[in-house]
Amino acid sequence: MSTYNKLMNNLEILKLEKFKSFLPNFLEEIAKNEIPFIDALLKLTEKELEFRDERASKIQIAVSAFPFEKTLSDFNFDFQPSINKAELLDLQSLRFLENKENILFFGSSGVGKTHLAVALGVAAAKKRHLTYFISCHDLIMQLNKAHAENRLETKLKHYAKYKLLIIDEIGYLPIDKQGANLLFQLINKRYEKNSTIITTNQPFSKWGEVFSDITLANAILDRLIHHSSIIKITGPSYRLKGKVELLEAKKNNNH
């Protein structure tokens, strides 16, 4: 076996995939431009690190349970002028994660709250921060199940570990007192330790009704709002916009 084949075989054993695929063409460039050995090795290892970082980012996005993968560049800020685009771009820098701050998106159905929450989640996952997306209803169902099976503490620790937890659609379905209590325990565990993003269609003044207990609602809000950015969206619904455009298109086709 030639030295070259031995090298390629070693790279395969070491699982240096990008190094191995990049090397054959790069050898010509090294010879042609007389690239020093250290510089060549640096470039090859950088290619490998870039590849591994990109692969790890894709894995983190895949395990984050996003309902879809969208970014801020996919968002139509012109359609929602109530949103401060500069503020969202600043949040995308992820400084809020380092500061352990929360983000609360409030607005009626269809205005883009979930899209924005997912976009920030995707940005965090791309940087390999442990991220998870779950609807409020599913989260409380999971906590209730764990409570019934005497493994609540384990489940609370599981959800508390995420650097970013996105809880979608608070207020769309009523929450009983036990559910509110379980959610409070989780929010309290995450308080000032990790960041949480919330989307809700209910004003905070109505959370007492949502959670069937004004004291628990205030306790949850107190911990979420402290160290947070609150983004209120007052624009029209994207879903209604889509339906209107579809109806208009059908009307035009019938003429």
Side-chain angles (χ1 to χ4, degrees):
M1 187 185 287
S2 69
T3 305
Y4 175 78
N5 286 335
K6 282 181 181 177
L7 172 60
M8 296 301 275
N9 190 49
N10 286 350
L11 292 175
E12 190 168 338
I13 292 167
L14 290 167
K15 293 186 169 61
L16 295 169
E17 296 173 39
K18 201 65 179 176
F19 195 129
K20 182 173 179 280
S21 67
F22 191 68
L23 181 62
N25 291 333
F26 191 51
L27 285 172
E28 292 179 25
E29 191 182 331
I30 292 169
K32 184 180 176 183
N33 298 316
E34 297 182 349
I35 298 171
F37 174 74
I38 293 292
D39 293 349
L41 199 56
L42 175 63
K43 189 165 185 178
L44 286 164
T45 52
E46 281 176 344
K47 285 286 179 186
E48 182 66 31
L49 288 170
E50 281 171 19
F51 167 73
R52 290 188 178 195
D53 191 54
E54 189 178 328
R55 183 175 59 186
S57 295
K58 285 178 180 175
I59 291 168
Q60 183 54 57
I61 289 170
V63 300
S64 295
F66 298 120
F68 47 77
E69 190 180 331
K70 288 186 178 178
T71 65
L72 285 187
S73 60
D74 300 319
F75 192 83
N76 187 351
F77 285 96
D78 293 333
F79 188 69
Q80 298 294 16
S82 69
I83 300 172
N84 183 341
K85 185 178 180 180
E87 182 181 9
L88 266 296
L89 291 172
D90 180 56
L91 290 171
Q92 191 175 234
S93 73
L94 305 177
R95 284 190 297 114
F96 77 94
L97 286 183
E98 302 314 314
N99 296 332
K100 298 172 177 58
E101 294 168 355
N102 303 319
I103 303 169
L104 290 83
F105 289 105
F106 161 59
S108 56
S109 181
V111 296
K113 303 182 299 294
T114 301
H115 181 149
L116 293 172
V118 167
L120 294 176
V122 167
K126 279 182 178 175
K127 293 293 182 183
R128 297 165 64 179
H129 294 300
L130 205 57
T131 303
Y132 196 72
F133 178 101
I134 190 168
S135 73
C136 182
H137 178 67
D138 287 347
L139 176 60
I140 288 174
M141 277 180 57
Q142 291 286 332
L143 294 176
N144 265 319
K145 188 170 184 284
H147 181 260
E149 295 169 355
N150 293 316
R151 50 183 186 84
L152 177 62
E153 192 56 33
T154 302
K155 186 59 80 172
L156 287 171
K157 283 179 181 175
H158 169 75
Y159 286 121
K161 74 183 178 185
Y162 289 104
K163 182 91 170 173
L164 176 60
L165 180 66
I166 301 170
I167 306 174
D168 194 38
E169 298 186 332
I170 286 184
Y172 284 80
L173 293 170
I175 299 163
D176 63 20
K177 193 167 181 178
Q178 177 170 296
N181 184 281
L182 295 173
L183 185 62
F184 166 73
Q185 289 183 58
L186 175 59
I187 297 299
N188 194 47
K189 245 188 194 330
R190 293 182 59 79
Y191 179 56
E192 295 189 324
K193 293 185 180 73
N194 284 310
S195 296
T196 305
I197 294 179
I198 297 290
T199 74
T200 182
N201 66 336
Q202 295 293 335
F204 303 138
S205 58
K206 294 272 186 74
W207 276 33
E209 296 170 31
V210 171
F211 288 101
S212 310
D213 186 300
I214 196 159
T215 304
L216 276 170
N218 286 338
I220 290 167
L221 265 175
D222 183 56
R223 284 155 182 77
L224 286 174
I225 290 174
H226 191 217
H227 312 307
S228 73
S229 295
I230 299 170
I231 298 166
K232 185 178 179 181
I233 309 172
T234 56
S237 167
Y238 281 100
R239 296 189 194 105
L240 287 177
K241 175 178 178 276
K243 285 180 181 177
V244 168
E245 287 172 349
L246 190 63
L247 287 170
E248 285 178 353
K250 282 182 179 177
K251 187 193 273 187
N252 292 333
N253 288 335
N254 290 333
H255 284 310

